[in-house]
Each structure stands twice: as C-alpha cells, then as structure tokens.
Amino acid sequence: MLISFEGLPGSGKSTQAHLLAEHLRHQGHHVAYLPDLATLATDAVGEHLLALFASSGDPFKRHGDLVTDTHLAAAIRAHIAATLIEPALAEHDIVIEDRGLHTMRSYSLATYLHTRPHPGGASGADVCAWLSAVSSLTGRGPDAALWLRLPPEQALHRAQARDGRPLTREQRTYLRRVDHAYELLAQRDDRLIPIPAGPDLAPPAVAARIRAALTLTPRPVTTC
C-alpha cells in the first residue's frame, strides 16, 4: 500500500508521516518512509533533476512556465516511482511518502489559477484532463493521499517561522491558490482525503483522525 501526505508547507506532513509510520510498525507492518525530495539524492539522474528543479531560486521551484514546470515535476515523480517507490513496495507492506503525485497536480493547477485568475483560455476541466494525462506517465499513484487541511494563514505562519524566511505577497497569494487547488482536486479524486489539521488540534488528535480515515472502505476514483 502506498500512502502519501499532502498539504501546504507548515501543515505538519513530516510529523504526521512519522507518527503514522510508528503506529503501523507497532501493529506489525513493515513500513518504509520516503522523505520529500531528499530521495532524489540517490543517484546521478536524481541529483541532476533536483538541480534543474531548484535552479530558478524560487522557494516553490517555479520557472515561469506551466508546461515546463509540470513536465519537470513529472520527470522527478517518474524517477522517484521507478527507483524508490516500486522497490520499496516490493520489500514492505506499506510505503509512506512525504508529498506525492497530488503535489505535482496541486502546484501545477495552482500555477494555472495564479497566472489565469480570470475567465478565458483553457477551462479548469481541460487543465485537469491534461494533468491526468501527464500524471499517467509518472508511475503508480497513491492508494490514499492524506491532505492535511490547515487554514492557509496558519500554515504560512508555521512555514515562515520554521524556515526563518518571510514570504512575499506574491508567494503568499500563490500558496493560497495551492490550497484552493487541493480543494478542487479533492472534489475529483477520492484518493485525496481531507484531514482537518486546524491550529486547535494537537498532533496526536490529527494522527487519530488519520488512522480513522485509513480504515474507511476505498471509494471510487475519478480523474484530475
């Protein structure tokens, strides 16, 4: 089983991924955890892709073009799937990844919304269809993607405090669009499960909600 954690920077993905991995190990499962992007440093191809991805200097790895950014993210995802996810799934009951396929989709959709906030051009449905087509080239998707849904302002506050770097107004606006993109994706893909992670909830309470969500019967999958 492949489980991914999704959400804005500062939403608690790494914390909850480790808590879930520990819980599942205590239940007797053989669990592998794959950290966000650090997995790319495993070979020369991965290191080269990571260098390209980070070359813009933008904290969200944007290069100014939706198609370029999406295809680069897709290449990274395909490399991770082939060299890390599939081997890990062959040796473990459960693989947990910190960010997965829905990160690529949400940030690409957010870029589209950010650069075309007004009607005109391709419709949201057209963009979703294109993202689904690109995603089909990247390997296996998650069996469950857990979207830690923290109010954007709270997530941004946490991320800035953690990184010690203030975000610009444009960057803050972009991350709000990422949050909106996750919402749109959740309406179309039942693998993406919203998990309330508000500031009034301590990590153990969020972890309990995650465990409850994973006991649900899998629902039908639609596209985007």
Side-chain angles (χ1 to χ4, degrees):
M1 182 178 189
L2 178 61
I3 300 171
S4 66
F5 276 83
E6 299 287 349
L8 295 179
S11 59
K13 296 181 297 299
S14 297
T15 296
Q16 292 301 327
H18 285 295
L19 288 174
L20 179 62
E22 181 180 3
H23 170 75
L24 292 172
R25 289 182 183 122
H26 285 164
Q27 287 190 325
H29 293 286
H30 194 199
V31 181
Y33 167 70
L34 302 179
D36 178 27
L37 286 186
T39 54
L40 286 176
T42 56
D43 62 20
V45 173
E47 290 176 359
H48 183 62
L49 287 170
L50 183 58
L52 285 174
F53 204 40
S55 63
S56 68
D58 179 78
F60 312 121
K61 312 299 188 290
R62 295 174 295 173
H63 296 77
D65 180 77
L66 172 63
V67 174
T68 298
D69 288 350
T70 300
H71 283 141
L72 180 54
I76 288 171
R77 173 68 191 177
H79 181 71
I80 290 174
T83 62
L84 292 162
I85 292 176
E86 291 300 336
L89 286 169
E91 297 181 1
H92 298 80
D93 303 330
I94 299 172
V95 174
I96 297 174
E97 55 176 342
D98 190 339
R99 294 195 178 280
L101 182 63
H102 289 86
T103 291
M104 186 194 83
R105 290 178 172 178
S106 64
Y107 278 74
S108 291
L109 183 54
T111 296
Y112 175 81
L113 296 171
H114 196 55
T115 56
R116 298 169 179 81
H118 304 294
S123 69
D126 291 336
V127 175
C128 282
W130 175 67
L131 286 174
S132 293
V134 174
S135 298
S136 68
L137 304 174
T138 65
R140 173 174 174 161
D143 297 293
L146 302 166
W147 169 29
L148 300 185
R149 193 170 190 182
L150 187 67
E153 288 306 318
Q154 183 67 25
L156 294 173
H157 176 75
R158 288 184 183 178
Q160 290 180 119
R162 178 194 64 196
D163 299 337
R165 177 181 59 194
L167 297 173
T168 67
R169 177 179 296 181
E170 185 274 337
Q171 291 165 351
R172 295 170 69 88
T173 299
Y174 176 69
L175 282 181
R176 293 187 189 98
R177 296 202 190 281
V178 173
D179 181 71
H180 181 50
Y182 272 121
E183 183 177 0
L184 294 175
L185 293 175
Q187 294 170 4
R188 294 167 170 82
D189 189 342
D190 288 324
R191 291 173 299 178
L192 184 58
I193 305 170
I195 305 291
D200 56 326
L201 294 173
V206 177
R209 293 188 176 203
I210 289 170
R211 293 194 298 270
L214 289 174
T215 64
L216 297 175
T217 302
R219 296 169 291 173
V221 174
T222 55
T223 60
C224 188

